[in-house]
Amino acid sequence: MILGYCSCISDGGRPPHLRHCCHSSRTQTLCWVGQLAANFTLVVKNQSVRMSAGRPSEAAGCVTWWGFSPARDLLTPGPARPEGQVNVLLVGSADPRHILKTIAGFPSEGSLHVWVIENSMEVVARQLLLLYLALMPLEGMGHNEKTEVFLEVFGNGEIRSQTEETLRCAASQLSLSVTEALETPTHPCLNTTLLKFKERDELARIFKLWMQPQSSLSISMSKAWDYRVRQHLGTRYNSKMGCFDWDLTMKLHQKGCGLINKQQYMQWRERGLAFEMREGVYQMTNPSLLSSRVFSKRGNRVAVRGYWGDIVSSPYLTFGIETDDESLLKTQNGQHIKTAQDISFVNVQALFQSLSSRRCFPTTSQSDTEIKEPSPQVDRKSVTIDDLIHLNRVSVTFLPMDSLQKLPDKQKYSHFFNTIYFSASCAHQLGPALRQIAAPDAVLVVELAKYILDLNKEQEEGFAKKVASIALQGGFEPWHEGKSDDVHAVFIPQRKT
């Protein structure tokens, strides 16, 4: 296979590291948009999803490596911003954009606990990796370099050798953290102690795959990416540049994403390279963007390892299409001077600076009040979990993949969460049981389908209506007092009449 190894899998099950190669056991044979359509059959009756070219539902992929919406401070929507001890639940957020943005806007006197549920352990592993990079101490990596490395790992199929070395060191530390922290987390923002043993074993296996030297990898990212593009475009592959340009100008730009630069977008569509911020050779495969997908072949289930994520909407959506700095939005001759890559850099760097301002130093064993001073400059390869930035009164905990159905049965989570977030791919999991874990004044935020380019306007609107209907059945009503937003829908508990 040009994508990597493939193995036959018996009906009795799969190896641990392949059990959740798509999203969940009930939808593992569906691609992401196919899953969306299957779960929201009323969005457009008797109408298949249309794409700019090629096969339906192949563009978004079957694993979500980045979200389809910009980063949000999830405590901003709603009638009143929660204070004191705040608990936020994220379901299927795919990356840490909302976590970082929410932490940045959180007051220093409060206590924030973020809880994360994902549908794939490969996505959990990547979330942990990105959080690890975000928490790298300044003594090991300055803000500029850390921002570059983070965006490189976040959005590039191929990375520089220096970045690949940093990734392998991080994977080594995360592997130790997952296997050694059985009851007490090694870091408050990398808490995996509540995961099942088999899920932690799966994480350890994934991290060990990332630690392997590039020479031992049987997968070429450039070939895996090109395979996906060919699969998506089909007979229109030879005119792919025209297809790329159409998706950018007639879809993304029409949806308000004018900051996405044509040259950069075309390079990402062709090579999977979104962020090229300094001169260097980007030719090392980014293992955090590889996953396994199960196909049925002649009665056997075959696992193929390759790139199975988004190849159309782009990673620019998460950090690169919005900014509060008006000077970055200036245009010249109708063209934006700054690009989505520039905006992503500014936004991510600001988030990292905010993290540093919340830094606290654990007390030593000699004195409970003695504050540990920052270490002198250290080699990033020698950085350990213990050296990562500790955020004052902030923690992030990852829950088992099947937690959403079980949380209502646990007394601890009764009316517990102040904010609950669902990605578009997980919106079908909304249900009446949600009210049992939502605080009385909770806010429910649901990602809409605006930036899923396979859907037309009618389907987007149908998706939003279906989300509102399911939320209403679950005891939540739309919040109309805030600013209108076609990217996220915001709901509050229904008022008793």
Side-chain angles (χ1 to χ4, degrees):
M1 294 290 292
I2 63 171
L3 301 184
Y5 70 82
C6 70
S7 57
C8 293
I9 302 171
S10 68
D11 292 336
R14 285 174 280 169
H17 65 296
L18 299 178
R19 283 178 186 149
H20 300 280
C21 66
C22 284
H23 270 149
S24 65
S25 58
R26 66 187 288 262
T27 56
Q28 60 193 350
T29 57
L30 294 173
C31 289
W32 192 87
V33 176
Q35 176 185 359
L36 181 153
N39 290 307
F40 293 97
T41 55
L42 298 182
V43 171
V44 181
K45 285 188 176 181
N46 302 320
Q47 181 177 343
S48 61
V49 176
R50 295 177 182 174
M51 300 170 60
S52 59
R55 297 172 58 183
S57 68
E58 283 296 339
C62 67
V63 59
T64 311
W65 293 130
W66 44 75
F68 289 84
S69 59
R72 286 283 185 271
D73 178 352
L74 295 177
L75 301 181
T76 299
R81 189 180 181 91
E83 298 177 349
Q85 186 170 346
V86 179
N87 290 283
V88 177
L89 176 64
L90 302 179
V91 183
S93 58
D95 61 55
R97 68 194 187 283
H98 298 317
I99 298 175
L100 298 175
K101 187 79 170 179
T102 303
I103 293 173
F106 195 73
S108 57
E109 62 272 12
S111 175
L112 175 65
H113 196 156
V114 180
W115 308 76
V116 182
I117 300 174
E118 293 291 352
N119 288 324
S120 162
M121 294 315 296
E122 286 160 329
V123 174
V124 171
R126 193 167 136 87
Q127 285 248 40
L128 289 166
L129 170 65
L130 293 171
L131 284 172
Y132 182 101
L133 295 176
L135 295 169
M136 284 280 285
L138 289 176
E139 297 80 34
M141 192 184 298
H143 281 314
N144 280 0
E145 187 178 6
K146 183 162 74 169
T147 303
E148 292 172 352
V149 169
F150 179 92
L151 288 173
E152 213 175 306
V153 172
F154 178 74
N156 287 3
E158 293 181 308
I159 55 181
R160 295 172 297 146
S161 58
Q162 307 96 303
T163 303
E164 191 264 345
E165 188 175 356
T166 300
L167 189 155
R168 282 198 287 118
C169 291
S172 175
Q173 287 297 308
L174 288 168
S175 178
L176 288 173
S177 172
V178 167
T179 54
E180 293 181 358
L182 299 181
E183 295 182 359
T184 304
T186 53
H187 192 284
C189 291
L190 302 171
N191 189 346
T192 58
T193 60
L194 297 185
L195 295 178
K196 298 176 181 178
F197 284 109
K198 65 179 181 180
E199 292 174 332
R200 275 185 271 178
D201 289 344
E202 205 166 333
L203 279 179
R205 187 185 294 268
I206 293 168
F207 291 136
K208 287 177 181 177
L209 282 175
W210 295 358
M211 291 160 56
Q212 293 178 1
Q214 291 278 319
S215 58
S216 66
L217 291 177
S218 60
I219 307 167
S220 164
M221 177 60 81
S222 59
K223 291 182 179 179
W225 186 274
D226 185 66
Y227 173 83
R228 287 291 313 288
V229 175
R230 288 177 180 272
Q231 184 186 43
H232 171 51
L233 295 180
T235 57
R236 298 178 66 181
Y237 178 82
N238 291 334
S239 57
K240 60 183 178 182
M241 290 303 178
C243 297
F244 299 165
D245 184 63
W246 175 269
D247 286 336
L248 177 64
T249 58
M250 301 306 294
K251 294 185 177 182
L252 285 170
H253 283 178
Q254 293 297 318
K255 293 175 181 289
C257 301
L259 285 164
I260 299 181
N261 175 269
K262 179 177 178 179
Q263 181 180 352
Q264 292 172 357
Y265 179 78
M266 300 287 266
Q267 176 175 260
W268 176 75
R269 285 293 301 268
E270 187 172 23
R271 292 184 52 199
L273 189 63
F275 300 103
E276 191 175 13
M277 288 159 292
R278 63 168 62 192
E279 293 184 4
V281 181
Y282 293 79
Q283 63 180 18
M284 309 294 283
T285 293
N286 181 356
S288 75
L289 288 176
L290 294 176
S291 61
S292 298
R293 180 176 174 184
V294 173
F295 293 87
S296 178
K297 184 177 181 180
R298 298 174 183 174
N300 293 317
R301 301 168 78 183
V302 180
V304 181
R305 192 161 176 80
Y307 177 81
W308 303 112
D310 166 46
I311 58 170
V312 171
S313 294
S314 87
Y316 298 123
L317 296 174
T318 53
F319 298 109
I321 63 173
E322 293 182 350
T323 177
D324 295 327
D325 187 346
E326 294 292 332
S327 66
L328 298 176
L329 300 176
K330 291 181 179 179
T331 60
Q332 186 174 10
N333 299 324
Q335 299 292 322
H336 283 278
I337 298 175
K338 298 296 183 180
T339 69
Q341 176 177 286
D342 300 323
I343 303 299
S344 296
F345 184 90
V346 171
N347 286 338
V348 171
Q349 187 176 64
L351 292 175
F352 289 167
Q353 290 170 344
S354 177
L355 293 183
S356 295
S357 69
R358 295 190 66 96
R359 183 175 186 176
C360 67
F361 299 98
T363 56
T364 65
S365 57
Q366 297 176 348
S367 170
D368 290 337
T369 59
E370 181 183 352
I371 301 299
K372 179 183 176 183
E373 293 297 324
S375 304
Q377 195 74 18
V378 296
D379 184 351
R380 75 178 67 173
K381 290 183 287 187
S382 64
V383 171
T384 67
I385 292 277
D386 293 334
D387 298 320
L388 299 181
I389 296 173
H390 282 251
L391 303 179
N392 190 30
R393 299 179 182 177
V394 174
S395 56
V396 180
T397 299
F398 291 83
L399 296 172
M401 290 187 292
D402 60 355
S403 290
L404 192 60
Q405 292 75 32
K406 297 180 178 180
L407 291 180
D409 299 328
K410 298 182 179 181
Q411 183 61 34
K412 174 183 177 179
Y413 302 105
S414 177
H415 305 295
F416 185 73
F417 298 105
N418 303 95
T419 298
I420 301 175
Y421 172 88
F422 278 79
S423 67
S425 61
C426 292
H428 62 279
Q429 298 184 49
L430 289 165
L434 209 59
R435 282 297 298 269
Q436 299 177 37
I437 62 173
D441 56 350
V443 174
L444 171 64
V445 181
V446 183
E447 181 183 59
L448 298 179
K450 178 178 180 177
Y451 297 117
I452 301 173
L453 302 191
D454 288 346
L455 306 184
N456 59 36
K457 189 66 176 178
E458 182 184 355
Q459 289 171 316
E460 286 178 35
E461 294 172 353
F463 182 93
K465 291 178 180 177
K466 187 63 179 176
V467 165
S469 173
I470 295 178
L472 192 63
Q473 294 172 17
F476 290 87
E477 63 183 16
W479 180 58
H480 297 296
E481 299 174 20
K483 180 181 177 182
S484 177
D485 186 348
D486 57 356
V487 180
H488 295 95
V490 180
F491 304 90
I492 58 175
Q494 285 179 286
R495 299 180 179 89
K496 294 182 180 180
T497 56

